[in-house]
Amino acid sequence: MTTEKLDKTSVKVWTISSIIGFIITLIIYMAYLFVIPYFKFKFIGTIIFIVILILTLIDIVVISKLKYKYWSYSILEDSINLNFGVLWKKSVTIPISRVQYVDTSQGILARKYNLMELTIHTAGGQHIIPSLSAERGEEVKSKITELIRKDDEKVEL
Amino acid sequence: MNFKHPHPFYILIRMVKFIKDGILPIAILAISALAKYGASNKNFVIGAAVIIVLIGIIYSLLQWKNYCYSINDEYMLVKHGIVKKVERKLYISRIQTMDTSQPFYLVPFKVVLLQLDAAGGSKDTEISLHVSTKEASNIKELLLRDKKPDENELEKTNLNYKASFGDLILMAVTSKSIFWGFIIVSTIYDKINDWIPKSMKKSLDSAGEQGINKVMAMGVIKGAVLIIAVIVIIAMILSIVGTIFRYGNFTVIREKNNFKIFYGLLDKKEFTIPIKRIQSVSFKQGLLRKALGLVSINIESIGYGKDKGESTMLFPIMQNDRLNAFLEDMYPEIKIQYTLEQCPKASVKGYIIRMIIIPLIIFIGLTVLLKYGWISLLFLPLFIYLGIRSHKLSGIAITEKYLIMKSCFITLNTSIISKKSVQSITKAQNPIQVKNHLVDINAVIQSETMTKSYKIKGLSGGVYERVMYWLLEAENYNI
């Protein structure tokens, strides 16, 4: 089984987006402090915010790296396998014959770092491989498309 | 090509829709007009109303006139639209389902709503037409022409099962909706004091006083029991009446390649479900039904997700011992032997925790808030038992063509999933499960809107790999 990893830059991108999330939460918290005289449960609100802020901080420092460490995928003749999850582990098997089509997309941040997100569509839903380098993304996409084509031929025979 | 229009009743339906959609803007317009010209100017208001109604009539008429359909050997063509003309071609070979439904207001006019669906593609029904009952069967015949011969052979051997009156009563009495009926009736009972006019209330009170006196004489507890009994009985009657109107005349017919299902006393429904489009069959047993040995059978097929699942009922309720004969006659394909692989002992803790966590939070809350709240904690063993029960009943099995997943929270759900409908399988493990080599297995099947999947928690570690190989091996097997 040839297991492959995501692009290394993904750690950086995830960290940056976590920092953005942190800043947004901080701004909301400031706004909350500003209107706090109108709230009844100041104490609970503050605790919730502090918990959220701590969680985002942990996210920035550790989670991005661990997420990268545990994310892997493999594309085989007959199936696509995904493995991910830091504490809660998940594995997904998608038979090639069930794949309807594949598409790729890029967010603003991802485009800056030349990353790509691959979405695999089946009749029952979709699965995402995040943060592949743009070249690798195209490669994987055409590989899967090729496999689908082969599989279709098999069925016709 | 020879084009036909839908039944003229369609005009009325369009008009109602026109009014329904337009009611808000019209109301806003009317209010602003009234504010501007004053309420005194009645003629203006009436004039405006007449104009709006006229526009509605003309609009609906035009819609009907522009709506036409035609069938030839290859396809069915539908044209509609006034400004934006729409033409839709549905190839006969692509038609997957043909349903007719008849809400109560269509019954006197002998009009049905005919819905044709193709596989995959858009989420909406491809074609829906209001036509007369006769025309509907004509269209069906035309579209099924090619498939007709082999069906004819089997016409005489077609088997059917009907839900008897007793079945429906049993279904109503053991259904969960009884619980809701109970809540609704008791809320109404609560609110009724505010609704009834005072004069009426007085006479009711004096009439009820004797009754209440009797109740009081029995003591508070007996009185409460009596009131609850009355509420339960009323809820039960409501449930029975509702069930009979909804599912009355439930009949399922097995043709060679299709199931035909029809039911309903007021809203008549009819479904044709091709066997090969069925993805999974589920046997459901709630707590009460399990104890009484009753089971309801549901099927999941492609193209039926939008009707909130009711269309997927294959048979509303049945005694366990009748099930074998039913499957033998109606659906021998899924009458299969299998040995269930149960969850290992290590996962029983997880099952108990999942079952008691929410009750426990509620019970602790009650203990803190109420004086005798701690009494609720005495119910905890019951939930622990339910957890053990659900662990004992859950399991998975693999046969050549089917994946059998038996899961139980309160309701026991045995699903037989055909391998060709499994889209992907997922293994999930929480940190404790990683340590204990346990896995949750999730099998996703085809669905049009939301992801539809079957899940079993706390299976032994190797199951995922086995299911995975089974799923992939099946592919090679087909070639």
Side-chain angles (χ1 to χ4, degrees), chain A residues 15-45:
Chain A
T15 311
I16 292 171
S17 63
S18 299
I19 290 171
I20 294 170
F22 182 78
I23 292 167
I24 290 171
T25 325
L26 214 59
I27 291 169
I28 295 171
Y29 182 50
M30 296 297 186
Y32 174 75
L33 281 182
F34 188 68
V35 293
I36 212 168
Y38 308 105
F39 275 104
K40 244 186 176 173
F41 303 102
K42 300 173 204 176
F43 184 63
I44 294 173

PDB file of all heavy atoms in Angstrom, chain A residues 15-45:
ATOM      1  N   THR A  15      -2.194  26.718  10.548  1.00  0.00           N
ATOM      2  CA  THR A  15      -1.827  27.579  11.674  1.00  0.00           C
ATOM      3  C   THR A  15      -2.295  29.003  11.420  1.00  0.00           C
ATOM      4  O   THR A  15      -2.887  29.639  12.298  1.00  0.00           O
ATOM      5  CB  THR A  15      -0.295  27.556  11.888  1.00  0.00           C
ATOM      6  OG1 THR A  15       0.128  26.199  11.909  1.00  0.00           O
ATOM      7  CG2 THR A  15       0.090  28.225  13.184  1.00  0.00           C
ATOM      8  N   ILE A  16      -2.052  29.482  10.197  1.00  0.00           N
ATOM      9  CA  ILE A  16      -2.459  30.855   9.881  1.00  0.00           C
ATOM     10  C   ILE A  16      -3.967  31.009  10.024  1.00  0.00           C
ATOM     11  O   ILE A  16      -4.460  31.951  10.648  1.00  0.00           O
ATOM     12  CB  ILE A  16      -2.011  31.244   8.456  1.00  0.00           C
ATOM     13  CG1 ILE A  16      -0.484  31.345   8.416  1.00  0.00           C
ATOM     14  CG2 ILE A  16      -2.630  32.577   8.048  1.00  0.00           C
ATOM     15  CD1 ILE A  16       0.089  31.504   7.032  1.00  0.00           C
ATOM     16  N   SER A  17      -4.716  30.017   9.493  1.00  0.00           N
ATOM     17  CA  SER A  17      -6.177  30.171   9.577  1.00  0.00           C
ATOM     18  C   SER A  17      -6.638  30.070  11.030  1.00  0.00           C
ATOM     19  O   SER A  17      -7.598  30.731  11.419  1.00  0.00           O
ATOM     20  CB  SER A  17      -6.894  29.167   8.675  1.00  0.00           C
ATOM     21  OG  SER A  17      -6.625  27.870   9.100  1.00  0.00           O
ATOM     22  N   SER A  18      -5.928  29.285  11.861  1.00  0.00           N
ATOM     23  CA  SER A  18      -6.280  29.239  13.278  1.00  0.00           C
ATOM     24  C   SER A  18      -6.019  30.582  13.942  1.00  0.00           C
ATOM     25  O   SER A  18      -6.799  31.042  14.771  1.00  0.00           O
ATOM     26  CB  SER A  18      -5.459  28.172  14.004  1.00  0.00           C
ATOM     27  OG  SER A  18      -5.732  26.923  13.465  1.00  0.00           O
ATOM     28  N   ILE A  19      -4.900  31.214  13.554  1.00  0.00           N
ATOM     29  CA  ILE A  19      -4.587  32.529  14.128  1.00  0.00           C
ATOM     30  C   ILE A  19      -5.668  33.532  13.744  1.00  0.00           C
ATOM     31  O   ILE A  19      -6.132  34.311  14.580  1.00  0.00           O
ATOM     32  CB  ILE A  19      -3.187  33.011  13.653  1.00  0.00           C
ATOM     33  CG1 ILE A  19      -2.110  32.140  14.310  1.00  0.00           C
ATOM     34  CG2 ILE A  19      -2.970  34.477  14.000  1.00  0.00           C
ATOM     35  CD1 ILE A  19      -0.714  32.352  13.785  1.00  0.00           C
ATOM     36  N   ILE A  20      -6.113  33.462  12.472  1.00  0.00           N
ATOM     37  CA  ILE A  20      -7.195  34.356  12.045  1.00  0.00           C
ATOM     38  C   ILE A  20      -8.430  34.116  12.904  1.00  0.00           C
ATOM     39  O   ILE A  20      -9.063  35.054  13.396  1.00  0.00           O
ATOM     40  CB  ILE A  20      -7.505  34.148  10.543  1.00  0.00           C
ATOM     41  CG1 ILE A  20      -6.311  34.601   9.704  1.00  0.00           C
ATOM     42  CG2 ILE A  20      -8.756  34.923  10.143  1.00  0.00           C
ATOM     43  CD1 ILE A  20      -6.409  34.231   8.242  1.00  0.00           C
ATOM     44  N   GLY A  21      -8.734  32.826  13.130  1.00  0.00           N
ATOM     45  CA  GLY A  21      -9.876  32.478  13.983  1.00  0.00           C
ATOM     46  C   GLY A  21      -9.711  33.045  15.380  1.00  0.00           C
ATOM     47  O   GLY A  21     -10.648  33.594  15.957  1.00  0.00           O
ATOM     48  N   PHE A  22      -8.479  32.956  15.901  1.00  0.00           N
ATOM     49  CA  PHE A  22      -8.163  33.475  17.233  1.00  0.00           C
ATOM     50  C   PHE A  22      -8.437  34.974  17.298  1.00  0.00           C
ATOM     51  O   PHE A  22      -9.076  35.478  18.224  1.00  0.00           O
ATOM     52  CB  PHE A  22      -6.698  33.178  17.545  1.00  0.00           C
ATOM     53  CG  PHE A  22      -6.260  33.630  18.906  1.00  0.00           C
ATOM     54  CD1 PHE A  22      -6.593  32.894  20.036  1.00  0.00           C
ATOM     55  CD2 PHE A  22      -5.513  34.787  19.060  1.00  0.00           C
ATOM     56  CE1 PHE A  22      -6.190  33.307  21.295  1.00  0.00           C
ATOM     57  CE2 PHE A  22      -5.104  35.213  20.321  1.00  0.00           C
ATOM     58  CZ  PHE A  22      -5.442  34.464  21.434  1.00  0.00           C
ATOM     59  N   ILE A  23      -7.963  35.677  16.278  1.00  0.00           N
ATOM     60  CA  ILE A  23      -8.131  37.135  16.252  1.00  0.00           C
ATOM     61  C   ILE A  23      -9.613  37.493  16.194  1.00  0.00           C
ATOM     62  O   ILE A  23     -10.089  38.369  16.926  1.00  0.00           O
ATOM     63  CB  ILE A  23      -7.351  37.756  15.057  1.00  0.00           C
ATOM     64  CG1 ILE A  23      -5.845  37.602  15.311  1.00  0.00           C
ATOM     65  CG2 ILE A  23      -7.711  39.220  14.878  1.00  0.00           C
ATOM     66  CD1 ILE A  23      -4.975  37.865  14.112  1.00  0.00           C
ATOM     67  N   ILE A  24     -10.365  36.751  15.359  1.00  0.00           N
ATOM     68  CA  ILE A  24     -11.807  37.035  15.242  1.00  0.00           C
ATOM     69  C   ILE A  24     -12.494  36.815  16.589  1.00  0.00           C
ATOM     70  O   ILE A  24     -13.282  37.653  17.045  1.00  0.00           O
ATOM     71  CB  ILE A  24     -12.446  36.170  14.134  1.00  0.00           C
ATOM     72  CG1 ILE A  24     -11.956  36.640  12.773  1.00  0.00           C
ATOM     73  CG2 ILE A  24     -13.976  36.246  14.200  1.00  0.00           C
ATOM     74  CD1 ILE A  24     -12.335  35.730  11.627  1.00  0.00           C
ATOM     75  N   THR A  25     -12.156  35.694  17.262  1.00  0.00           N
ATOM     76  CA  THR A  25     -12.753  35.423  18.561  1.00  0.00           C
ATOM     77  C   THR A  25     -12.421  36.541  19.541  1.00  0.00           C
ATOM     78  O   THR A  25     -13.267  36.986  20.326  1.00  0.00           O
ATOM     79  CB  THR A  25     -12.222  34.088  19.134  1.00  0.00           C
ATOM     80  OG1 THR A  25     -12.017  33.177  18.081  1.00  0.00           O
ATOM     81  CG2 THR A  25     -13.194  33.508  20.134  1.00  0.00           C
ATOM     82  N   LEU A  26     -11.167  36.995  19.482  1.00  0.00           N
ATOM     83  CA  LEU A  26     -10.720  38.066  20.365  1.00  0.00           C
ATOM     84  C   LEU A  26     -11.542  39.336  20.129  1.00  0.00           C
ATOM     85  O   LEU A  26     -11.985  39.993  21.089  1.00  0.00           O
ATOM     86  CB  LEU A  26      -9.230  38.336  20.111  1.00  0.00           C
ATOM     87  CG  LEU A  26      -8.408  38.742  21.336  1.00  0.00           C
ATOM     88  CD1 LEU A  26      -8.463  37.655  22.397  1.00  0.00           C
ATOM     89  CD2 LEU A  26      -6.958  38.997  20.935  1.00  0.00           C
ATOM     90  N   ILE A  27     -11.767  39.647  18.849  1.00  0.00           N
ATOM     91  CA  ILE A  27     -12.540  40.848  18.514  1.00  0.00           C
ATOM     92  C   ILE A  27     -13.963  40.726  19.057  1.00  0.00           C
ATOM     93  O   ILE A  27     -14.500  41.658  19.668  1.00  0.00           O
ATOM     94  CB  ILE A  27     -12.557  41.073  16.978  1.00  0.00           C
ATOM     95  CG1 ILE A  27     -11.154  41.477  16.512  1.00  0.00           C
ATOM     96  CG2 ILE A  27     -13.570  42.151  16.602  1.00  0.00           C
ATOM     97  CD1 ILE A  27     -10.967  41.470  15.019  1.00  0.00           C
ATOM     98  N   ILE A  28     -14.547  39.510  18.859  1.00  0.00           N
ATOM     99  CA  ILE A  28     -15.912  39.312  19.369  1.00  0.00           C
ATOM    100  C   ILE A  28     -15.917  39.467  20.897  1.00  0.00           C
ATOM    101  O   ILE A  28     -16.819  40.082  21.468  1.00  0.00           O
ATOM    102  CB  ILE A  28     -16.452  37.924  18.965  1.00  0.00           C
ATOM    103  CG1 ILE A  28     -16.598  37.843  17.443  1.00  0.00           C
ATOM    104  CG2 ILE A  28     -17.810  37.645  19.610  1.00  0.00           C
ATOM    105  CD1 ILE A  28     -16.923  36.458  16.933  1.00  0.00           C
ATOM    106  N   TYR A  29     -14.885  38.957  21.528  1.00  0.00           N
ATOM    107  CA  TYR A  29     -14.800  39.054  22.980  1.00  0.00           C
ATOM    108  C   TYR A  29     -14.730  40.516  23.423  1.00  0.00           C
ATOM    109  O   TYR A  29     -15.394  40.931  24.379  1.00  0.00           O
ATOM    110  CB  TYR A  29     -13.578  38.278  23.481  1.00  0.00           C
ATOM    111  CG  TYR A  29     -13.438  38.295  24.978  1.00  0.00           C
ATOM    112  CD1 TYR A  29     -14.525  37.964  25.793  1.00  0.00           C
ATOM    113  CD2 TYR A  29     -12.243  38.649  25.589  1.00  0.00           C
ATOM    114  CE1 TYR A  29     -14.407  37.979  27.166  1.00  0.00           C
ATOM    115  CE2 TYR A  29     -12.116  38.670  26.962  1.00  0.00           C
ATOM    116  CZ  TYR A  29     -13.205  38.335  27.750  1.00  0.00           C
ATOM    117  OH  TYR A  29     -13.089  38.352  29.113  1.00  0.00           O
ATOM    118  N   MET A  30     -13.952  41.311  22.694  1.00  0.00           N
ATOM    119  CA  MET A  30     -13.849  42.752  22.993  1.00  0.00           C
ATOM    120  C   MET A  30     -15.229  43.407  22.888  1.00  0.00           C
ATOM    121  O   MET A  30     -15.650  44.154  23.757  1.00  0.00           O
ATOM    122  CB  MET A  30     -12.880  43.441  22.010  1.00  0.00           C
ATOM    123  CG  MET A  30     -11.443  42.980  22.106  1.00  0.00           C
ATOM    124  SD  MET A  30     -10.720  43.338  23.698  1.00  0.00           S
ATOM    125  CE  MET A  30      -9.035  42.857  23.413  1.00  0.00           C
ATOM    126  N   ALA A  31     -15.907  43.066  21.788  1.00  0.00           N
ATOM    127  CA  ALA A  31     -17.246  43.624  21.576  1.00  0.00           C
ATOM    128  C   ALA A  31     -18.161  43.216  22.717  1.00  0.00           C
ATOM    129  O   ALA A  31     -18.953  44.017  23.228  1.00  0.00           O
ATOM    130  CB  ALA A  31     -17.801  43.137  20.239  1.00  0.00           C
ATOM    131  N   TYR A  32     -18.008  41.974  23.142  1.00  0.00           N
ATOM    132  CA  TYR A  32     -18.811  41.443  24.237  1.00  0.00           C
ATOM    133  C   TYR A  32     -18.539  42.224  25.520  1.00  0.00           C
ATOM    134  O   TYR A  32     -19.457  42.624  26.238  1.00  0.00           O
ATOM    135  CB  TYR A  32     -18.492  39.952  24.421  1.00  0.00           C
ATOM    136  CG  TYR A  32     -19.135  39.309  25.613  1.00  0.00           C
ATOM    137  CD1 TYR A  32     -20.486  38.990  25.609  1.00  0.00           C
ATOM    138  CD2 TYR A  32     -18.377  39.014  26.744  1.00  0.00           C
ATOM    139  CE1 TYR A  32     -21.062  38.399  26.711  1.00  0.00           C
ATOM    140  CE2 TYR A  32     -18.951  38.421  27.840  1.00  0.00           C
ATOM    141  CZ  TYR A  32     -20.297  38.114  27.835  1.00  0.00           C
ATOM    142  OH  TYR A  32     -20.873  37.524  28.920  1.00  0.00           O
ATOM    143  N   LEU A  33     -17.247  42.487  25.795  1.00  0.00           N
ATOM    144  CA  LEU A  33     -16.881  43.259  26.986  1.00  0.00           C
ATOM    145  C   LEU A  33     -17.506  44.650  26.935  1.00  0.00           C
ATOM    146  O   LEU A  33     -17.934  45.199  27.945  1.00  0.00           O
ATOM    147  CB  LEU A  33     -15.354  43.394  27.069  1.00  0.00           C
ATOM    148  CG  LEU A  33     -14.588  42.192  27.605  1.00  0.00           C
ATOM    149  CD1 LEU A  33     -13.103  42.502  27.671  1.00  0.00           C
ATOM    150  CD2 LEU A  33     -15.098  41.798  28.980  1.00  0.00           C
ATOM    151  N   PHE A  34     -17.564  45.176  25.695  1.00  0.00           N
ATOM    152  CA  PHE A  34     -18.091  46.518  25.506  1.00  0.00           C
ATOM    153  C   PHE A  34     -19.577  46.593  25.862  1.00  0.00           C
ATOM    154  O   PHE A  34     -20.047  47.558  26.440  1.00  0.00           O
ATOM    155  CB  PHE A  34     -17.852  46.929  24.046  1.00  0.00           C
ATOM    156  CG  PHE A  34     -18.171  48.362  23.777  1.00  0.00           C
ATOM    157  CD1 PHE A  34     -17.376  49.380  24.329  1.00  0.00           C
ATOM    158  CD2 PHE A  34     -19.253  48.708  22.987  1.00  0.00           C
ATOM    159  CE1 PHE A  34     -17.665  50.702  24.087  1.00  0.00           C
ATOM    160  CE2 PHE A  34     -19.549  50.039  22.741  1.00  0.00           C
ATOM    161  CZ  PHE A  34     -18.751  51.045  23.295  1.00  0.00           C
ATOM    162  N   VAL A  35     -20.324  45.526  25.499  1.00  0.00           N
ATOM    163  CA  VAL A  35     -21.773  45.550  25.753  1.00  0.00           C
ATOM    164  C   VAL A  35     -22.133  44.814  27.043  1.00  0.00           C
ATOM    165  O   VAL A  35     -23.307  44.671  27.365  1.00  0.00           O
ATOM    166  CB  VAL A  35     -22.581  44.932  24.584  1.00  0.00           C
ATOM    167  CG1 VAL A  35     -22.467  45.790  23.355  1.00  0.00           C
ATOM    168  CG2 VAL A  35     -22.138  43.519  24.311  1.00  0.00           C
ATOM    169  N   ILE A  36     -21.131  44.378  27.771  1.00  0.00           N
ATOM    170  CA  ILE A  36     -21.383  43.520  28.933  1.00  0.00           C
ATOM    171  C   ILE A  36     -22.360  44.102  29.954  1.00  0.00           C
ATOM    172  O   ILE A  36     -23.132  43.342  30.558  1.00  0.00           O
ATOM    173  CB  ILE A  36     -20.040  43.107  29.581  1.00  0.00           C
ATOM    174  CG1 ILE A  36     -20.197  41.709  30.171  1.00  0.00           C
ATOM    175  CG2 ILE A  36     -19.579  44.092  30.637  1.00  0.00           C
ATOM    176  CD1 ILE A  36     -18.902  41.082  30.577  1.00  0.00           C
ATOM    177  N   PRO A  37     -22.411  45.406  30.165  1.00  0.00           N
ATOM    178  CA  PRO A  37     -23.360  45.910  31.167  1.00  0.00           C
ATOM    179  C   PRO A  37     -24.800  45.490  30.894  1.00  0.00           C
ATOM    180  O   PRO A  37     -25.611  45.438  31.815  1.00  0.00           O
ATOM    181  CB  PRO A  37     -23.206  47.417  31.063  1.00  0.00           C
ATOM    182  CG  PRO A  37     -21.873  47.639  30.484  1.00  0.00           C
ATOM    183  CD  PRO A  37     -21.585  46.469  29.616  1.00  0.00           C
ATOM    184  N   TYR A  38     -25.103  45.155  29.628  1.00  0.00           N
ATOM    185  CA  TYR A  38     -26.480  44.797  29.290  1.00  0.00           C
ATOM    186  C   TYR A  38     -26.757  43.306  29.476  1.00  0.00           C
ATOM    187  O   TYR A  38     -27.854  42.839  29.302  1.00  0.00           O
ATOM    188  CB  TYR A  38     -26.795  45.197  27.841  1.00  0.00           C
ATOM    189  CG  TYR A  38     -26.462  46.630  27.578  1.00  0.00           C
ATOM    190  CD1 TYR A  38     -25.330  46.993  26.852  1.00  0.00           C
ATOM    191  CD2 TYR A  38     -27.281  47.648  28.097  1.00  0.00           C
ATOM    192  CE1 TYR A  38     -25.013  48.315  26.628  1.00  0.00           C
ATOM    193  CE2 TYR A  38     -26.957  48.975  27.882  1.00  0.00           C
ATOM    194  CZ  TYR A  38     -25.844  49.309  27.151  1.00  0.00           C
ATOM    195  OH  TYR A  38     -25.533  50.609  26.939  1.00  0.00           O
ATOM    196  N   PHE A  39     -25.719  42.531  29.826  1.00  0.00           N
ATOM    197  CA  PHE A  39     -25.906  41.084  29.971  1.00  0.00           C
ATOM    198  C   PHE A  39     -26.076  40.686  31.420  1.00  0.00           C
ATOM    199  O   PHE A  39     -25.538  41.325  32.316  1.00  0.00           O
ATOM    200  CB  PHE A  39     -24.709  40.329  29.382  1.00  0.00           C
ATOM    201  CG  PHE A  39     -24.830  40.095  27.914  1.00  0.00           C
ATOM    202  CD1 PHE A  39     -24.095  40.845  27.011  1.00  0.00           C
ATOM    203  CD2 PHE A  39     -25.697  39.119  27.437  1.00  0.00           C
ATOM    204  CE1 PHE A  39     -24.222  40.636  25.657  1.00  0.00           C
ATOM    205  CE2 PHE A  39     -25.808  38.904  26.081  1.00  0.00           C
ATOM    206  CZ  PHE A  39     -25.076  39.654  25.192  1.00  0.00           C
ATOM    207  N   LYS A  40     -26.812  39.613  31.618  1.00  0.00           N
ATOM    208  CA  LYS A  40     -27.031  39.144  32.981  1.00  0.00           C
ATOM    209  C   LYS A  40     -25.891  38.229  33.422  1.00  0.00           C
ATOM    210  O   LYS A  40     -25.394  38.342  34.524  1.00  0.00           O
ATOM    211  CB  LYS A  40     -28.360  38.386  33.045  1.00  0.00           C
ATOM    212  CG  LYS A  40     -29.383  39.068  33.949  1.00  0.00           C
ATOM    213  CD  LYS A  40     -30.606  38.199  34.086  1.00  0.00           C
ATOM    214  CE  LYS A  40     -31.586  38.813  35.053  1.00  0.00           C
ATOM    215  NZ  LYS A  40     -32.840  38.073  35.087  1.00  0.00           N
ATOM    216  N   PHE A  41     -25.533  37.301  32.540  1.00  0.00           N
ATOM    217  CA  PHE A  41     -24.568  36.274  32.953  1.00  0.00           C
ATOM    218  C   PHE A  41     -23.166  36.626  32.458  1.00  0.00           C
ATOM    219  O   PHE A  41     -22.604  35.950  31.607  1.00  0.00           O
ATOM    220  CB  PHE A  41     -24.998  34.903  32.413  1.00  0.00           C
ATOM    221  CG  PHE A  41     -26.378  34.505  32.861  1.00  0.00           C
ATOM    222  CD1 PHE A  41     -27.457  34.607  32.010  1.00  0.00           C
ATOM    223  CD2 PHE A  41     -26.573  34.042  34.155  1.00  0.00           C
ATOM    224  CE1 PHE A  41     -28.724  34.243  32.431  1.00  0.00           C
ATOM    225  CE2 PHE A  41     -27.846  33.676  34.580  1.00  0.00           C
ATOM    226  CZ  PHE A  41     -28.923  33.782  33.720  1.00  0.00           C
ATOM    227  N   LYS A  42     -22.610  37.685  32.991  1.00  0.00           N
ATOM    228  CA  LYS A  42     -21.269  38.107  32.557  1.00  0.00           C
ATOM    229  C   LYS A  42     -20.266  36.990  32.779  1.00  0.00           C
ATOM    230  O   LYS A  42     -19.446  36.680  31.936  1.00  0.00           O
ATOM    231  CB  LYS A  42     -20.814  39.305  33.382  1.00  0.00           C
ATOM    232  CG  LYS A  42     -21.693  40.496  33.280  1.00  0.00           C
ATOM    233  CD  LYS A  42     -21.229  41.524  34.278  1.00  0.00           C
ATOM    234  CE  LYS A  42     -22.397  42.442  34.605  1.00  0.00           C
ATOM    235  NZ  LYS A  42     -22.086  43.424  35.632  1.00  0.00           N
ATOM    236  N   PHE A  43     -20.354  36.399  33.976  1.00  0.00           N
ATOM    237  CA  PHE A  43     -19.351  35.440  34.414  1.00  0.00           C
ATOM    238  C   PHE A  43     -19.273  34.246  33.456  1.00  0.00           C
ATOM    239  O   PHE A  43     -18.203  33.898  32.958  1.00  0.00           O
ATOM    240  CB  PHE A  43     -19.710  35.001  35.824  1.00  0.00           C
ATOM    241  CG  PHE A  43     -18.697  34.076  36.423  1.00  0.00           C
ATOM    242  CD1 PHE A  43     -17.394  34.505  36.650  1.00  0.00           C
ATOM    243  CD2 PHE A  43     -19.046  32.772  36.750  1.00  0.00           C
ATOM    244  CE1 PHE A  43     -16.468  33.653  37.202  1.00  0.00           C
ATOM    245  CE2 PHE A  43     -18.115  31.922  37.296  1.00  0.00           C
ATOM    246  CZ  PHE A  43     -16.822  32.359  37.530  1.00  0.00           C
ATOM    247  N   ILE A  44     -20.449  33.663  33.178  1.00  0.00           N
ATOM    248  CA  ILE A  44     -20.498  32.490  32.298  1.00  0.00           C
ATOM    249  C   ILE A  44     -19.957  32.838  30.920  1.00  0.00           C
ATOM    250  O   ILE A  44     -19.153  32.095  30.343  1.00  0.00           O
ATOM    251  CB  ILE A  44     -21.948  31.948  32.195  1.00  0.00           C
ATOM    252  CG1 ILE A  44     -22.356  31.419  33.567  1.00  0.00           C
ATOM    253  CG2 ILE A  44     -22.043  30.843  31.148  1.00  0.00           C
ATOM    254  CD1 ILE A  44     -23.807  31.022  33.660  1.00  0.00           C
ATOM    255  N   GLY A  45     -20.361  34.003  30.403  1.00  0.00           N
ATOM    256  CA  GLY A  45     -19.905  34.453  29.090  1.00  0.00           C
ATOM    257  C   GLY A  45     -18.384  34.528  29.042  1.00  0.00           C
ATOM    258  O   GLY A  45     -17.752  34.025  28.107  1.00  0.00           O
TER     259      GLY A  45
END
